[in-house]
Amino acid sequence: MILVNSIDFSSVPTQLESLRKHSIVVADTGDIDAIAKWKPQDATTNPSLLLTAAQDARYRHLVDADIDRMFVNFGSEILGHIAGRVSTEVDARLSFDTEGSIRKAERFISLYESAGISRERILIKLASTWEGIRAAERLEKSGIHCNMTLLFSFAQAVACAEAGVTLISPFVGRIYDWYKAARKADDIPIEEDPGVASVTKIYRYYKKFGYNTQVMGASFRKTGQILELAGCDLLTIAPDLLEKLSSAQGDVPKRLSPEQSSGDQMEKLKLDEKSYRWMHNEDQMAVEKLSEGIRRFDADARKLAQVVASLAKGERAAA
Ligand code: E4P
């Protein structure tokens, strides 16, 4: 026991321990050792995270020339360390292709099931485009659960809830990045953070109108953004921020709860394709970040294919 000025610091929880009382903590990484260390309930990956992991000698045994199979190899290994679900992302190239997205999701599920893993433990990650949302709607009806990513606008969130998807990942950090650049500012204080405000608004809307879709805040740049969303259904956090939260002590107050929003003055929206496209298009940040996000994930997926090909070439030369 450490006693300083009669305060027992050994009884003060870390911020991570406190946060876990309010939200399900998810690890946002392809680093399997980090997942084993932090023991999150769920884990999320994306093509950029798997590009990093595939180049790590510790995970060479998971690399496969068939990229879908490689994603499933990583997902299966991750599931060995967690009790919950892993998210596996559909190629960004299919972001405007409903049928192609469905075929890809079904292939992932069939590869997981061949490895003895039930679909209940998988979330298929799809970009929150109109086409991606339609794919998710159909996949959910066939018992394949979806996690809608690259979500920046309120229109995207409303359309996802209406489609009955299992979970959405509204981004915080990339919204913060956009406004920071637009304002030529070094930082934006938490109380004015547009990324935090976006997740808060979506969460309150979902709870007010009783949607079952879970809200998982994603893409964080600093611990303050995470703490401000304590109470959100889930929060997916990169290992460096998990480390920071576990080395800081202090009680974390609950910021979001379903009851808070009952008195909110909000109108329930119903969006068809035209109104969805119009409303999303009105949000310049969301339009730019969604299209940039698709390009970035696609670029990393193409780099990943090159990395895998050169690893295979190296192995053949060494044999
Ligand atoms: C998780 O679902 C997202 O892919 C991830 O949080 C994005 O984070 P980034 O904005 O730091 O790339």
Side-chain angles (χ1 to χ4, degrees):
M1 185 185 298
I2 310 155
L3 284 172
V4 179
N5 294 339
S6 327
I7 299 169
D8 174 5
F9 279 98
S10 65
S11 65
V12 179
T14 67
Q15 289 183 339
L16 184 58
E17 287 165 340
S18 295
L19 182 67
R20 281 186 153 136
K21 292 186 196 132
H22 307 310
S23 296
I24 293 172
V25 170
V26 176
D28 194 18
T29 183
D31 180 345
I32 293 153
D33 288 349
I35 292 170
K37 175 178 175 186
W38 294 109
K39 300 181 182 39
Q41 177 170 312
D42 289 3
T44 53
T45 61
N46 67 35
S48 311
L49 296 171
L50 290 181
L51 171 62
T52 306
Q55 295 172 87
D56 189 320
R58 289 173 298 168
Y59 310 129
R60 192 60 42 87
H61 60 292
L62 301 174
V63 173
D64 195 301
D66 176 342
I67 303 287
D68 294 352
R69 205 174 279 280
M70 186 178 92
F71 279 15
V72 169
N73 290 346
F74 270 94
S76 307
E77 187 98 354
I78 289 169
L79 286 173
H81 295 282
I82 60 174
R85 307 163 294 186
V86 71
S87 291
T88 298
E89 192 156 332
V90 164
D91 310 29
R93 187 162 282 266
L94 298 171
S95 297
F96 305 108
D97 178 351
T98 299
E99 299 305 323
S101 294
I102 291 173
R103 278 196 298 277
K104 181 64 76 177
E106 287 172 343
R107 175 148 204 258
F108 282 141
I109 293 296
S110 132
L111 289 169
Y112 273 116
E113 289 182 342
S114 308
I117 292 165
S118 123
R119 62 182 62 195
E120 292 310 314
R121 299 196 68 199
I122 311 301
L123 288 174
I124 297 293
K125 242 173 131 182
L126 295 148
S128 305
T129 54
W130 180 258
E131 295 78 2
I133 297 168
R134 297 285 66 82
E137 183 174 42
R138 283 170 48 195
L139 288 165
E140 293 282 356
K141 285 187 180 134
S142 67
I144 296 177
H145 304 297
C146 300
N147 165 359
M148 303 310 292
T149 190
L150 293 174
L151 196 151
F152 303 98
S153 72
F154 193 60
Q156 289 174 293
V158 171
C160 286
E162 287 287 305
V165 306
T166 297
L167 180 147
I168 60 162
S169 296
F171 281 31
V172 175
R174 294 193 196 187
I175 296 183
Y176 164 85
D177 297 342
W178 191 91
Y179 280 97
K180 214 159 58 103
R183 295 175 191 174
K184 298 186 175 44
D186 293 333
D187 187 27
I188 300 175
I190 293 298
E191 14 352 307
E192 295 163 26
D193 189 311
V196 169
S198 164
V199 178
T200 304
K201 180 177 173 187
I202 292 166
Y203 176 91
R204 293 179 81 115
Y205 180 84
Y206 275 26
K207 301 308 170 197
K208 178 170 174 69
F209 295 111
Y211 288 110
N212 289 326
T213 300
Q214 296 178 303
V215 181
M216 178 167 73
S219 168
F220 292 106
R221 299 291 173 262
K222 45 189 181 177
T223 57
Q225 292 172 329
I226 300 167
L227 300 177
E228 200 60 24
L229 294 172
C232 194
D233 302 325
L234 305 98
L235 295 165
T236 189
I237 308 173
D240 60 323
L241 292 174
L242 287 169
E243 188 77 57
K244 284 187 183 161
L245 290 168
S246 77
S247 20
Q249 286 184 309
D251 272 317
V252 174
K254 191 172 185 174
R255 300 281 181 192
L256 303 180
S257 67
E259 308 76 47
Q260 283 169 340
S261 46
S262 57
D264 283 356
Q265 296 298 311
M266 285 179 164
E267 205 186 311
K268 190 169 184 187
L269 301 175
K270 215 162 172 55
L271 299 179
D272 61 11
E273 182 173 355
K274 285 179 201 163
S275 49
Y276 162 84
R277 290 195 191 280
W278 181 265
M279 190 174 163
H280 179 73
N281 194 63
E282 287 288 279
D283 186 337
Q284 186 188 346
M285 171 280 298
V287 170
E288 290 178 12
K289 291 314 267 184
L290 174 59
S291 62
E292 178 205 57
I294 291 170
R295 285 192 301 275
R296 267 173 55 181
F297 280 155
D298 178 53
D300 283 347
R302 280 186 284 113
K303 269 188 224 152
L304 181 57
Q306 281 168 5
V307 165
V308 169
S310 68
L311 286 173
K313 209 165 143 194
E315 271 161 27
R316 274 198 303 276

